[in-house]
Amino acid sequence: MTKWAIVADLGRCVGCQTCTTACRHANATPPGVQYRKVLDMEVGTFPDVRRVFVPVGCMHCDEPPCRDVCPTTATTKRADGMVMIDYDICIGCGYCIVACPYQARYKVSKPTFAFKDQETQNERARFDERLLGVAQKCTFCVDRVDYGLANGLTPGVAPEATPACVNSCLSKALTFGDTDNPDSNVSKLLKRYKSFRMHEELGTGPNIHYLWETEDE
Amino acid sequence: MSEEFEDAPGMRHLGLSPWLQTAWDLRAAGNFIGGGSGTGLLIIASLGAFKGLYSPVLLLAGLALVGLGLFSVFLEIGRPLRALNVLLGAKRSWMTREAFVAAVLFPLGLAALIWPDLAKLVWIPAAAYLYCQARILEAAKGIPTWRSPLILPLTIASGLAEGAGILLLLGTLVLDGGAPEWVAGTLVATIAARIFVWMFYRRRMVGGEAPVEAAAVLIRFSMPFTLGGNVIPIAFLVLGGIQPDIRAAALAAAGLAAMAGGWALKIVIVTKAAQNQGFAINHSPARGGGESGPGFKPGWREVPKDKD
């Protein structure tokens, strides 16, 4: 089996938001919609303070609450673990949006662009009317992954088969790969370093893993 | 950020702490208001049929409330022309199951207008519908105040209290001699159940099961709800009992207050105490020569415990 996941090394992320920008460009998301974003956290109280940058987005959960509540079957989970939305079936009820504990889903009713009513060339090229009035979210750049697999490439290794956010990460904080494969890049990272997953207590089985202690011994 | 806002609650961790969901507004609350009150009324009226209570007006009012609730949520969906797709997800979704139950409830309720004996069966789909509504909220894992297991008894108790209240109110207006005696007793019982569950629910939410901001909303709402929606109806019932000359008005007022309390409860839970989960980390990372540190859960009372 295959289970795609992202490993985010919190020790490496510098909060530059390049992944956010790459994602917004790849998906031409409207203002306010960020499938991938990086949170800027200040932890502790002076003088014991830490700054932490945390990439978040759809966690492509093992047990996605968004799928469980969807009244239309628009939200499904593929065999490789990716949680997908069929934009042609979704009625835009917003139930999945309130069911997601990661605030990863959005609904936009009217076309909006970065420069108000002026589309950029990229926005025009990638505009998809099917996304209006329905739920939308990160897809792990499924088109890239599927293209890669169809052409014998390894997602997470070959850039053509890897999500845009991971490709763009300038500090190599993000790694994409198959956690069901013990020899994959992500499996090796998870074996070697300590990790946690966000809101794990809710039982959703999120598939973005956070490394928090990767200083070499 | 402006200095005057830096220490304002919720500003320091804007975008990290839980914030109020905006996907479901008053239109969604309307579904729980209409559905809860309508099914509550239908359940009590239907069970009353075993004691000889039969009124087409009560049946129609219950169905109309449920219908208005469904219409209200229909107004909120992004693609209304695809509304029937709501029937596709019965395997998992309580929203789909609610729609299927509605497809039984309406024909049966309307048939009961023609064949009064069928009124004795209406409570079954009505109860199922009310249960589905409670499960809809409980299944929304992203909203801590909704996913509490106590939302089930709270929603059901409130629906029944609202239904009993409406029966008292309508009974005064449309039934000969007003609503039967037992309806007032039913209202007291359902209000008692509602306030009993509410106390436990509020305590758990304030105790750390909900974000601080959501808990604050519930704390602010608690007193007006307890008094206005629960104590005052009982006071009116007592007043109606000791002052026969104003009995009808007192019973109607008791019903109205009980109903209004339930509606306010749903508006608050669905649209005001509906902060999402926010973001959290279990550990903060080691950077450079430093050491890793504790976790961080802004907007919540407790920080996740370090397991290592």
Side-chain angles (χ1 to χ4, degrees):
Chain A
M1 288 296 286
T2 300
K3 188 162 81 171
W4 300 116
I6 282 180
V7 170
D9 186 342
L10 297 182
R12 279 179 170 271
C13 181
V14 295
C16 66
Q17 306 287 354
T18 306
C19 57
T20 304
T21 310
C23 172
R24 297 219 36 199
H25 184 267
N27 294 289
T29 53
V33 176
Q34 289 178 221
Y35 297 167
R36 164 76 60 246
K37 58 184 171 187
V38 181
L39 307 174
D40 183 345
M41 294 183 174
E42 282 179 31
V43 184
T45 48
F46 183 82
D48 185 23
V49 181
R50 287 174 182 78
R51 190 96 179 268
V52 191
F53 301 108
V54 186
V56 294
C58 175
M59 303 275 172
H60 294 270
C61 300
D62 293 338
E63 294 297 333
C66 53
R67 176 205 55 186
D68 292 347
V69 302
C70 178
T72 67
T73 66
T75 294
T76 52
K77 190 168 173 63
R78 298 193 343 168
D80 60 8
M82 288 192 195
V83 176
M84 304 302 295
I85 303 171
D86 186 332
Y87 303 121
D88 297 321
I89 296 177
C90 179
I91 59 171
C93 66
Y95 196 6
C96 58
I97 297 173
V98 293
C100 173
Y102 303 99
Q103 296 76 240
R105 287 177 164 244
Y106 302 85
K107 187 171 96 172
V108 175
S109 298
K110 285 182 274 191
T112 51
F113 305 103
F115 300 101
K116 295 198 173 171
D117 53 354
Q118 275 187 297
E119 304 162 277
T120 62
Q121 198 177 355
N122 181 58
E123 285 173 327
R124 193 176 310 118
R126 294 175 188 262
F127 179 72
D128 187 350
E129 199 173 318
R130 294 179 314 145
L131 269 68
L132 295 177
V134 302
Q136 55 175 303
K137 67 168 193 75
C138 156
T139 63
F140 267 176
C141 286
V142 63
D143 51 337
R144 300 172 70 89
V145 173
D146 284 351
Y147 165 84
L149 291 170
N151 288 278
L153 303 171
T154 305
V157 177
E160 303 93 322
T162 301
C165 57
V166 178
N167 277 340
S168 71
C169 182
L170 51 83
S171 61
K172 294 280 178 283
L174 297 176
T175 309
F176 181 78
D178 176 11
T179 51
D180 273 2
N181 174 4
D183 298 319
S184 72
N185 49 2
V186 288
S187 294
K188 285 175 181 169
L189 283 170
L190 292 172
K191 206 178 296 177
R192 184 173 176 187
Y193 300 116
K194 290 176 179 174
S195 66
F196 68 86
R197 297 183 291 173
M198 196 180 283
H199 305 326
E200 215 165 354
E201 70 279 6
L202 296 179
T204 55
N207 279 303
I208 294 182
H209 301 256
Y210 296 100
L211 307 182
W212 56 280
E213 207 159 58
T214 53
E215 290 297 305
D216 290 326
E217 297 85 10
Chain B
M1 192 184 291
S2 167
E3 279 183 26
E4 63 186 291
F5 289 115
E6 264 188 13
D7 294 325
M11 291 302 285
R12 190 170 142 69
H13 299 302
L14 201 63
L16 304 179
S17 303
W19 63 91
L20 189 62
Q21 63 82 22
T22 54
W24 281 8
D25 57 18
L26 270 175
R27 290 168 293 184
N31 185 35
F32 295 101
I33 288 169
S37 290
T39 53
L41 174 61
L42 289 170
I43 290 166
I44 295 165
S46 173
L47 293 175
F50 289 94
K51 286 182 157 263
L53 174 69
Y54 176 77
S55 164
V57 175
L58 296 180
L59 286 172
L60 276 173
L63 293 172
L65 280 165
V66 175
L68 281 170
L70 287 170
F71 180 67
S72 173
V73 82
F74 171 79
L75 293 176
E76 186 158 55
I77 64 176
R79 295 277 188 158
L81 295 180
R82 300 177 188 168
L84 285 179
N85 284 358
V86 79
L87 299 172
L88 299 173
K91 186 178 173 187
R92 290 192 177 93
S93 178
W94 285 100
M95 194 179 271
T96 301
R97 292 165 189 169
E98 179 198 59
F100 273 109
V101 174
V104 175
L105 178 65
F106 281 98
L108 183 63
L110 292 171
L113 297 173
I114 302 163
W115 297 287
D117 276 352
L118 289 178
K120 293 176 181 174
L121 297 177
V122 170
W123 72 270
I124 301 168
Y129 191 92
L130 184 57
Y131 180 73
C132 286
Q133 288 221 318
R135 292 301 298 265
I136 285 172
L137 283 174
E138 193 208 20
K141 274 196 177 176
I143 311 294
T145 52
W146 300 0
R147 68 175 181 240
S148 165
L150 287 174
I151 206 74
L152 282 171
L154 184 62
T155 307
I156 291 166
S158 188
L160 293 172
E162 292 158 37
I166 294 170
L167 208 162
L168 267 187
L169 179 64
L170 286 179
T172 310
L173 302 171
V174 300
L175 296 180
D176 290 334
E181 293 282 340
W182 54 264
V183 178
T186 304
L187 181 62
V188 171
T190 52
I191 281 177
R194 179 168 74 180
I195 201 67
F196 182 72
V197 178
W198 166 256
M199 285 191 306
F200 278 97
Y201 172 79
R202 177 186 171 280
R203 183 186 294 179
R204 282 178 66 162
M205 294 302 111
V206 173
E209 283 190 26
V212 170
E213 215 172 304
V217 172
L218 296 179
I219 290 168
R220 285 196 298 273
F221 176 66
S222 193
M223 185 58 76
F225 172 63
T226 303
L227 289 178
N230 300 280
V231 174
I232 284 177
I234 290 173
F236 273 122
L237 290 177
V238 172
L239 189 66
I242 56 178
Q243 291 286 344
D245 49 335
I246 57 160
R247 185 173 181 275
L251 291 183
L256 187 63
M259 179 197 81
W263 288 17
L265 173 71
K266 284 163 185 175
I267 288 169
V268 165
I269 287 178
V270 174
T271 68
K272 300 198 184 313
Q275 278 68 18
N276 58 28
Q277 182 72 16
F279 296 102
I281 53 173
N282 293 20
H283 306 274
S284 40
R287 282 186 181 279
E291 291 181 353
S292 57
F296 184 47
K297 195 175 182 181
W300 290 77
R301 278 185 62 179
E302 289 178 35
V303 173
K305 288 195 170 54
D306 195 322
K307 295 170 202 163
D308 294 280

